[in-house]
Each structure stands twice: as structure tokens, then as C-alpha cells.
Amino acid sequence: MSDTPALAPLVGDRKLAHQTFFDHRHHDETPRFHYEISDFLHSNSRYGVILAFRGAAKSTIAEEDIVLDACERQFHNCVIVGSSETRAVERLQAIAHELENNEPMLSFYGRQRTTNRQWTQTKIVLRNGVVIQAIGRDQAVRGLKHLDWRPDYVLLDDIED
């Protein structure tokens, strides 16, 4: 993490972190329920369901949460399960894009991609060893492992189809 004093409050304030790092993704004023989703995603709750209307930015907020948690090593092995592998890969691509191109995040957390670790369409391994993987709902999570780590963060996204 950066030692920049001006950005130090971001570490303890997830709402401020979302607003600062992902302002380019938030075209409208942030509604209160987005903060409630973010609070839930950053809580110690092990299980939960987020229900909101289509277009409510549930997946977008989850992507941002995964980016922040990955940079801060809040998990070791994240698996994104989509209605299909293609849908899960779209989420992973958005996450990888933020990790590679989000200038405020790069100046705060540093580069997350290293030259000695290839990022694929379905799996990225960050500089800090955190892995984020994408699978379809018909693929097995059981047995999925990265080094010594089984999934400790699983996002099920639009699997009702």
C-alpha cells in the first residue's frame, strides 16, 4: 500500500474507497442501498443474498468489492460463478481491467500483475498471491484449489437462469 497520507483514510472507510477508486464507474449519485450492499459485502457475514431490480448495479458493486478485497488480501482464492462461464469471465475481465488500469488504485496499492504470472481468461493471480477465478454454474467448485487455498470467497452472480 502507498504511504500517501492523503489516501490513508481509504483503508478504514470502504464507502470512501469505493467513491475514490471507482468514481469513473459511478455516473449517477450513489443511492443509499448501494452503501448497504457494500456494507454487506465487506461485513463478516459468511452467507447472504442480495436482491434488487435488474440494473441496480449489484454485480458492479461486487466487482469493486472483489478488487478492494484482493488488493488488501481479505481472501486467498475467489471464485466467481456465473450463469455461464462466459458471464463469469465478463466479471473477471472487469476486475482485471480495474486492477491493471485504475490509476488511483495503482498509485495506492501498486501494480497487481507481474510478468512472471500469466493471466488467463478464467484465472488471474495477483502479485500478492491472491487468485480470482471464473467458472460457469455447471462447473464444479468442489476440488477447486490454488496452491494450498480452497475458495474462501465465492460470488454467485445471476445463476437463477
Side-chain angles (χ1 to χ4, degrees), residues 99-118:
L99 290 167
E100 288 185 294
N101 299 297
N102 185 317
E103 290 301 326
M105 289 201 70
L106 290 170
S107 38
F108 191 69
Y109 291 108
R111 296 231 170 263
Q112 296 303 310
R113 186 172 186 166
T114 62
T115 55
N116 62 342
R117 289 191 175 135
Q118 180 180 357

Side-chain angles (χ1 to χ4, degrees), residues 36-54:
E36 293 169 2
I37 292 171
S38 180
D39 287 344
F40 168 73
L41 291 172
H42 294 292
S43 73
N44 291 327
S45 296
R46 292 183 48 102
Y47 307 100
V49 175
I50 299 170
L51 295 173
F53 58 89
R54 182 151 305 281

Side-chain angles (χ1 to χ4, degrees), residues 70-85:
C71 289
E72 295 179 4
R73 297 186 74 182
Q74 296 297 311
F75 57 79
H76 298 96
N77 186 349
C78 172
V79 177
I80 301 166
V81 182
S83 59
S84 67
E85 183 178 279

Side-chain angles (χ1 to χ4, degrees), residues 19-78:
Q19 290 172 340
T20 302
F21 292 136
F22 305 109
D23 183 55
H24 61 283
R25 299 179 93 195
H26 302 176
H27 305 294
D28 299 318
E29 183 177 336
T30 303
R32 191 177 75 197
F33 78 91
H34 280 193
Y35 296 126
E36 293 169 2
I37 292 171
S38 180
D39 287 344
F40 168 73
L41 291 172
H42 294 292
S43 73
N44 291 327
S45 296
R46 292 183 48 102
Y47 307 100
V49 175
I50 299 170
L51 295 173
F53 58 89
R54 182 151 305 281
K58 302 173 298 292
S59 298
T60 299
I61 296 167
E63 290 167 2
E64 294 171 7
D65 173 68
I66 290 170
V67 169
L68 289 170
D69 282 354
C71 289
E72 295 179 4
R73 297 186 74 182
Q74 296 297 311
F75 57 79
H76 298 96
N77 186 349
C78 172

